[in-house]
């Protein structure tokens, strides 16, 4: 089988997955999901013209001479309905969110007034018609479409859904994901330390990458390098929508994943991708189910998850944005590269006046998980690149820890 490029392999994966059907969830459970319905406003919001300030609602024409003195005829709090109409020379004390009384056409904030005895107030500023009024329906009009299908449910979207009183919403179903590690040398997290063994990091790193997408995966454990045992585990894994198997996908004599998967009737669509790390990465499907054979090396399996698994899972969940955000960064040092494979280099990012600066986390061995732990992103070197010199610009995929930064990062 030929070696696909990363983008060709991504295309094969994405052509094999469809967005899942909808299910109903409570609003409290909807964060991070993707809306599977159109949502319309079921009221005008605000329901009438309301005050944007604590102050006085008045007739702007009464402020021809400043200061002006007005008579206070009513107190209107948020939730009250005004009872009186303002005549010339009158005003009503009003709180933020309270409806304007008939006759009023502006609000002045309390800071621009002085209270006087006998229910009177001195107005120290003239204001225009409409000042500090929030108009009926300026947030949303009854019947208006406020959210479209495919919207990712962020906290702001949750606020809109609550405004239109959606205690339940239709969202796309999430895939059920199973994770399996393979290898005689692997030691489970709950097993006693045996210094001859290799701790199973992949189950947990892949678990966390899946959780970061809002999916709680099932860990199937560790299958030994034995065709029968592997077949049993793989069969269990194929009960899920997505199966991630790490290790055993190379061409070593004990790499049984390939023959065992094929014997189970999985149609394999690729076995190799021209990338570094992550060269031995496989993908197949069995009906609607998909299976990824990820490299055993921990960094490679995490990189392959980011390039292939995450976009597939996000597509299934209904997301329109399925790829990691990228930024352009300036390399702080030379980088060697032999043309032929797309290379993903773990880098740390620093924000400089001109933009981001990217610095390698150090040695890039595909087993060096600590350098993955330190990385802010993956700098992507195209397959045809002959290496880059310090100062060159490079595209960096941002990793999960980059949403927050040390300082506020803006000038005021
Ligand atoms: P393999 O793909 O099975 O040839 O494994 C490649 C390398 O990754 C070997 O050094 C394995 O010991 C290591 N490896 C495989 N699976 C895991 C795992 N689940 N956690 C940590 N290292 C692993
Ligand atoms: Mg192995």
């Amino acid at each position: 089988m030929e070696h696909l490029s990363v983008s060709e392999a991504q295309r094969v994966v994405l052509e094999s997955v469809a967005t899942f059907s909808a299910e109903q969830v409570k609003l409290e459970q909807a964060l991070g999901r993707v809306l599977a319905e159109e949502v319309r406003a079921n009221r005008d919001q605000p329901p009438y013209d309301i005050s944007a300030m604590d102050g006085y609602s008045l007739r702007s024409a009464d402020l021809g001479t400043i200061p002006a003195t007005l008579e206070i005829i009513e107190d209107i709090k948020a939730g009250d309905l005004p009872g009186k109409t303002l005549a010339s020379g009158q005003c009503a004390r009003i709180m933020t969110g309270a409806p304007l009384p008939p006759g009023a056409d502006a609000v002045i904030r309390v800071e621009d007034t002085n209270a006087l005895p006998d229910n009177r107030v001195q107005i120290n500023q003239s204001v225009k018609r409409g000042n500090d009024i929030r108009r009926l329906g300026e947030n949303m009009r009854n019947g208006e479409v406020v959210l479209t299908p495919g919207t990712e449910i962020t906290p702001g979207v949750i606020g809109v859904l609550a405004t239109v009183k959606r205690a339940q919403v239709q969202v796309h179903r999430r895939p059920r994901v199973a994770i399996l590690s393979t290898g005689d040398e692997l030691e489970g997290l709950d097993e006693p330390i045996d210094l001859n063994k290799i701790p199973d990091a992949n189950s947990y790193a892949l678990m966390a990458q899946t959780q970061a997408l809002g999916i709680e995966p099932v860990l199937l454990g560790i299958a030994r390098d034995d065709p029968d045992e592997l077949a049993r585990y793989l069969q269990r894994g194929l009960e899920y929508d997505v199966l991630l198997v790490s290790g055993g996908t190379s061409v070593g004599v004990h790499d049984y994943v390939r023959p065992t998967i094929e014997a189970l009737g999985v149609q394999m669509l690729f076995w190799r991708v021209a990338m570094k790390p992550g060269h031995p990465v496989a993908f197949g499907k069995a009906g609607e189910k998909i299976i990824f054979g990820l490299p055993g090396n921990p960094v490679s399996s995490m990189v392959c998850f980011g390039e292939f698994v995450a976009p597939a899972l996000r597509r299934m969940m209904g997301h329109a944005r399925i790829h990691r955000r990228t930024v352009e960064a300036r390399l702080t040092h030379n980088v060697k590269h032999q043309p032929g494979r797309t290379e993903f280099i773990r880098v740390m990012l620093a924000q400089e006046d001109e933009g981001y600066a990217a610095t390698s986390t150090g040695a890039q061995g595909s087993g060096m998980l600590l350098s993955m732990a330190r990385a802010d992103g993956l700098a992507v070197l195209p397959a045809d690149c002959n290496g880059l010199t310090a100062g060159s610009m490079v595209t960096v995929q941002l990793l999960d820890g980059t949403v927050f930064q040390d300082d506020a990062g803006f000038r005021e």
Side-chain angles (χ1 to χ4, degrees):
M1 208 176 297
E2 65 170 316
H3 292 202
L4 301 181
S5 69
V6 173
S7 53
E8 286 166 341
Q10 283 177 338
R11 185 153 36 77
V12 170
V13 169
L14 291 172
E15 278 170 0
S16 305
V17 300
T19 294
F20 279 15
S21 57
E23 65 178 344
Q24 182 144 299
V25 297
K26 285 184 167 176
L27 188 58
E28 292 90 325
Q29 310 300 328
L31 183 66
R33 305 293 293 271
V34 178
L35 204 58
E37 59 172 327
E38 187 177 80
V39 174
R40 291 175 183 267
N42 57 354
R43 68 213 299 169
D44 291 326
Q45 170 73 17
Y48 24 66
D49 290 353
I50 61 173
S51 176
M53 289 287 169
D54 291 338
Y56 296 89
S57 51
L58 46 73
R59 300 157 61 103
S60 55
D62 286 346
L63 306 183
T65 1
I66 290 299
T69 300
L70 299 177
E71 178 199 356
I72 305 169
I73 62 163
E74 194 177 9
D75 250 345
I76 312 168
K77 302 192 301 293
D80 286 350
L81 287 178
K84 297 177 182 166
T85 300
L86 298 189
S88 181
Q90 296 183 327
C91 68
R93 191 179 287 118
I94 196 162
M95 298 300 130
T96 305
L100 251 65
D105 68 1
V107 168
I108 187 154
R109 45 185 207 146
V110 70
E111 292 88 335
D112 295 330
T113 67
N114 293 113
L116 298 175
D118 305 325
N119 275 330
R120 286 172 314 131
V121 61
Q122 177 179 302
I123 311 292
N124 302 323
Q125 284 269 317
S126 89
V127 290
K128 292 211 181 73
R129 260 179 99 85
N131 188 65
D132 282 333
I133 294 174
R134 294 188 190 141
R135 291 292 177 194
L136 183 158
E138 75 173 26
N139 188 22
M140 51 181 79
R141 296 305 299 228
N142 190 17
E144 174 193 354
V145 174
V146 287
L147 298 169
T148 51
T151 300
E152 179 172 329
I153 301 181
T154 59
V157 171
I158 295 275
V160 171
L161 289 166
T163 302
V164 300
K165 308 279 283 184
R166 295 300 304 268
Q168 313 264 344
V169 278
Q170 293 284 329
V171 298
H172 289 287
R173 227 163 39 74
R174 288 176 294 200
R176 293 172 313 127
V177 177
I179 296 173
L180 174 64
S181 286
T182 72
D184 283 343
E185 76 283 26
L186 297 182
E187 175 182 284
L189 191 60
D190 49 3
E191 289 182 72
I193 294 187
D194 172 348
L195 296 180
N196 296 313
K197 294 204 153 186
I198 301 292
D200 171 19
N202 293 358
S203 288
Y204 296 92
L206 294 170
M207 169 198 77
Q209 286 183 300
T210 308
Q211 288 171 330
L213 300 176
I215 300 170
E216 198 58 51
V218 170
L219 300 192
L220 299 179
I222 300 167
R224 304 290 149 196
D225 290 322
D226 165 80
D228 293 334
E229 176 164 333
L230 193 56
R232 277 199 304 279
Y233 274 94
L234 289 174
Q235 225 149 9
R236 271 194 59 207
L238 287 170
E239 290 166 14
Y240 294 81
D241 298 311
V242 179
L243 171 60
L244 310 181
V245 186
S246 76
T249 53
S250 309
V251 290
V253 283
H254 298 293
D255 291 330
Y256 295 114
V257 170
R258 180 173 189 162
T260 312
I261 284 185
E262 284 177 332
L264 289 173
V266 176
Q267 180 198 356
M268 294 310 291
L269 298 179
F270 61 77
W271 284 99
R272 296 278 178 272
V273 176
M275 64 191 288
K276 182 185 173 186
H279 187 228
V281 55
F283 172 74
K285 57 183 183 181
E288 299 288 287
K289 294 157 194 271
I290 58 171
I291 174 165
F292 290 89
L294 301 173
N297 278 307
V299 175
S300 310
S301 71
M302 290 191 75
V303 170
C304 288
F305 184 100
E307 300 313 312
F308 307 114
V309 183
L313 295 179
R314 285 182 64 87
R315 163 92 19 112
M316 290 170 159
M317 292 173 75
H319 286 281
R321 300 174 182 179
I322 57 174
H323 294 286
R324 285 198 167 284
R325 185 175 289 284
T326 57
V327 296
E328 298 302 306
R330 193 185 54 77
L331 271 173
T332 62
H333 50 80
N334 296 345
V335 172
K336 291 199 188 118
H337 180 65
Q338 282 189 349
R341 298 198 229 165
T342 306
E343 185 169 357
F344 297 85
I345 298 172
R346 284 146 267 164
V347 294
M348 295 171 294
L349 289 175
Q351 224 156 358
E352 299 183 334
D353 286 344
E354 309 80 45
Y356 288 109
T359 305
S360 163
T361 55
Q364 295 283 316
S366 54
M368 303 182 86
L369 206 41
L370 266 175
S371 76
M372 194 70 183
R374 272 197 291 272
D376 296 315
L378 298 173
V380 188
L381 267 57
D384 59 4
C385 162
N386 280 298
L388 293 172
T389 50
S392 316
M393 296 303 287
V394 67
T395 300
V396 178
Q397 296 180 328
L398 298 179
L399 293 175
D400 292 301
T402 53
V403 179
F404 293 93
Q405 60 184 21
D406 297 342
D407 55 20
F410 55 80
R411 279 185 282 273
E412 285 181 295

